[in-house]
Amino acid sequence: MERKLNKEERVRLAAADKASRTRKHLLSLHHCLARSDVMRHHHDALVAEISTEGMDAFTAVVKVRFFAYLAFWFTALAGVIERYEDLRNSGSIPGDPAVDLLLTTEFKDIVKRFRNSVAHCSEYDDRRTLEFFDYEDKVPDHAALLATAFHAYLKKHKGQ
């Protein structure tokens, strides 16, 4: 016959289960962020290469690489943002003021529209794709700051 757990044991087990689920969610979020970072680092290296070699280096092949890195960096980042907000809003993970401050409605809207145009294989001249380049002077820097904030957040919370 199974022994019934007392209230303290049930509370302890529930807390351990919640902590385990939280760690799993944070690890999953970290993996998604790492995939986004790979594309961001490729993008940044290509920009540095073009800056060093000049615009003659911006060949048709380099343009394709540039757009691929950009497309998949922001597609992955949009997933990170949505997953973080879903988990935070459900209470599955703690929120973070530094991350939340960078998640402006304008930034999320730009990234989401761009992600949707990329992920749904839209026309090459889809306005959502082209509109993204209207913000090229601020969106990549904002995204890099957001990635840094996410990394600080994950470093702080993954050990829990």
Side-chain angles (χ1 to χ4, degrees), residues 55-67:
M55 287 308 289
D56 289 341
F58 204 51
T59 64
V61 171
V62 171
K63 287 177 186 176
V64 171
R65 285 178 49 213
F66 176 82
F67 189 76

Side-chain angles (χ1 to χ4, degrees), residues 89-149:
N89 294 346
S90 70
S92 300
I93 62 172
D96 184 78
V99 170
D100 294 340
L101 184 65
L102 292 166
L103 293 177
T104 65
T105 300
E106 178 188 25
F107 179 78
K108 291 187 304 183
D109 288 347
I110 293 165
V111 171
K112 186 175 182 177
R113 285 191 305 270
F114 180 70
R115 185 270 318 265
N116 289 346
S117 73
V118 170
H120 298 288
C121 203
S122 63
E123 297 292 332
Y124 75 93
D125 62 350
D126 186 307
R127 67 170 173 70
R128 298 169 300 174
T129 305
L130 299 175
E131 174 186 70
F132 185 80
F133 294 102
D134 292 340
Y135 303 97
E136 68 183 318
D137 61 327
K138 61 182 175 182
V139 169
D141 291 339
H142 190 104
L145 288 172
L146 180 59
T148 300

Side-chain angles (χ1 to χ4, degrees), residues 4-133:
K4 291 201 175 211
L5 300 176
N6 66 36
K7 183 177 180 178
E8 287 176 8
E9 292 170 321
R10 289 191 315 270
V11 167
R12 184 183 49 75
L13 286 174
D17 185 50
K18 182 179 185 332
S20 176
R21 284 191 318 271
T22 298
R23 278 192 301 278
K24 186 176 178 182
H25 291 315
L26 291 169
L27 183 60
S28 172
L29 194 62
H30 192 199
H31 285 184
C32 293
L33 181 61
R35 289 189 291 265
S36 173
D37 283 345
V38 167
M39 293 296 107
R40 176 170 59 97
H41 295 308
H42 281 301
H43 166 272
D44 292 351
L46 188 60
V47 168
E49 179 184 316
I50 293 165
S51 297
T52 301
E53 296 181 22
M55 287 308 289
D56 289 341
F58 204 51
T59 64
V61 171
V62 171
K63 287 177 186 176
V64 171
R65 285 178 49 213
F66 176 82
F67 189 76
Y69 297 151
L70 196 66
F72 292 105
W73 167 19
F74 282 95
T75 296
L77 185 60
V80 171
I81 292 167
E82 289 175 0
R83 181 77 172 141
Y84 166 79
E85 289 186 324
D86 287 346
L87 291 169
R88 179 203 60 204
N89 294 346
S90 70
S92 300
I93 62 172
D96 184 78
V99 170
D100 294 340
L101 184 65
L102 292 166
L103 293 177
T104 65
T105 300
E106 178 188 25
F107 179 78
K108 291 187 304 183
D109 288 347
I110 293 165
V111 171
K112 186 175 182 177
R113 285 191 305 270
F114 180 70
R115 185 270 318 265
N116 289 346
S117 73
V118 170
H120 298 288
C121 203
S122 63
E123 297 292 332
Y124 75 93
D125 62 350
D126 186 307
R127 67 170 173 70
R128 298 169 300 174
T129 305
L130 299 175
E131 174 186 70
F132 185 80
F133 294 102

